[in-house]
Amino acid sequence: MTKAGAPEKPGRQLPLDLPTTPRFGREEFLPAASNRAALEMIERWPDWPDRVLALIGPAGAGKSHLCAIWAARAGALVVAPGALPTLEGLVAQAPRAIVIDDVDRVADETTLFHLLNFVNENGAFLLMSAARPPRAEDTRLPDLLSRLRRAPIVEIGAPDEMLMRAVLVKLFADRQLLVEPPALAFAALRLERSLAAARAFVAALDREALAQGRPVTRALAAKVIEKFT
């Protein structure tokens, strides 16, 4: 309780954890040395070296964003690795383009093999993303491994410091956060080289700044970044 007539001290403000959905349009994609070759290949479609293309790179590099860009351009059927359509379903839908993000998480190899056959026999396009090229130790069906290895590969690298800085600037602007330049430089240098890590960090920093009612300084960024290192 406060004394009569004494003003109450402002308490710690409770932040509203408002969800922000990542936007995966072409205008939101930031080109950089690490992703330029992959972006150029996506934008070259349908002038690809083959109707099947494998997009390979580490988690957080931007593979899902590129898959979404291509899906919009090609009008592709977006397929989750855990919910592959049956051959009968593909015949009924007759998609002209298909995208599978994280194809290396597919457990049903037989259905994936039938999907690849459908693509080859019907002249459809297929974009698959994965963390690494197909390997014999990860694939039980030899015929599937052979098909997967036929696909040309375009690689996307982990974001470098310059791209991380640009991504952070955009994420802060999306939240209308004013960030001191030292805080931005500190975060770009020390965060994991991952777009997902950048999004999680900015969300956490936004909550902390609101809760404390203070601007985003280097000291505050250092406090929050401890949770991500």
Side-chain angles (χ1 to χ4, degrees), residues 95-160:
R96 305 308 301 164
I98 303 171
V99 59
I100 309 175
D101 195 12
D102 293 329
V103 71
D104 43 357
R105 292 171 48 201
V106 169
D108 189 345
E109 294 189 356
T110 299
T111 301
L112 179 58
F113 180 71
H114 290 320
L115 187 149
L116 287 165
N117 281 342
F118 172 87
V119 167
N120 290 330
E121 293 170 4
N122 291 272
F125 284 92
L126 172 63
L127 175 64
M128 306 176 291
S129 78
R132 57 193 177 194
R135 306 183 307 173
E137 54 266 42
D138 298 329
T139 310
R140 297 185 304 275
L141 298 180
D143 288 344
L144 174 61
L145 180 62
S146 175
R147 289 291 177 87
L148 291 173
R149 282 177 167 171
R150 289 181 196 173
I153 289 175
V154 60
E155 295 191 42
I156 180 171
D160 57 18

Side-chain angles (χ1 to χ4, degrees), residues 18-121:
L18 300 176
T20 55
T21 303
R23 292 177 291 180
F24 287 145
R26 172 61 181 88
E27 60 277 10
E28 280 80 38
F29 192 86
L30 301 177
S34 60
N35 61 38
R36 187 164 291 116
L39 176 61
E40 288 176 355
M41 184 63 73
I42 293 299
E43 294 190 325
R44 273 181 53 188
W45 179 84
D47 183 22
W48 281 359
D50 192 272
R51 287 184 169 271
V52 180
L53 181 71
L55 175 61
I56 304 297
K63 299 190 301 294
S64 295
H65 198 155
L66 285 176
C67 284
I69 291 171
W70 183 76
R73 289 170 65 94
L77 172 66
V78 179
V79 173
L84 298 184
T86 64
L87 180 57
E88 293 77 10
L90 288 171
V91 171
Q93 295 182 72
R96 305 308 301 164
I98 303 171
V99 59
I100 309 175
D101 195 12
D102 293 329
V103 71
D104 43 357
R105 292 171 48 201
V106 169
D108 189 345
E109 294 189 356
T110 299
T111 301
L112 179 58
F113 180 71
H114 290 320
L115 187 149
L116 287 165
N117 281 342
F118 172 87
V119 167
N120 290 330
E121 293 170 4

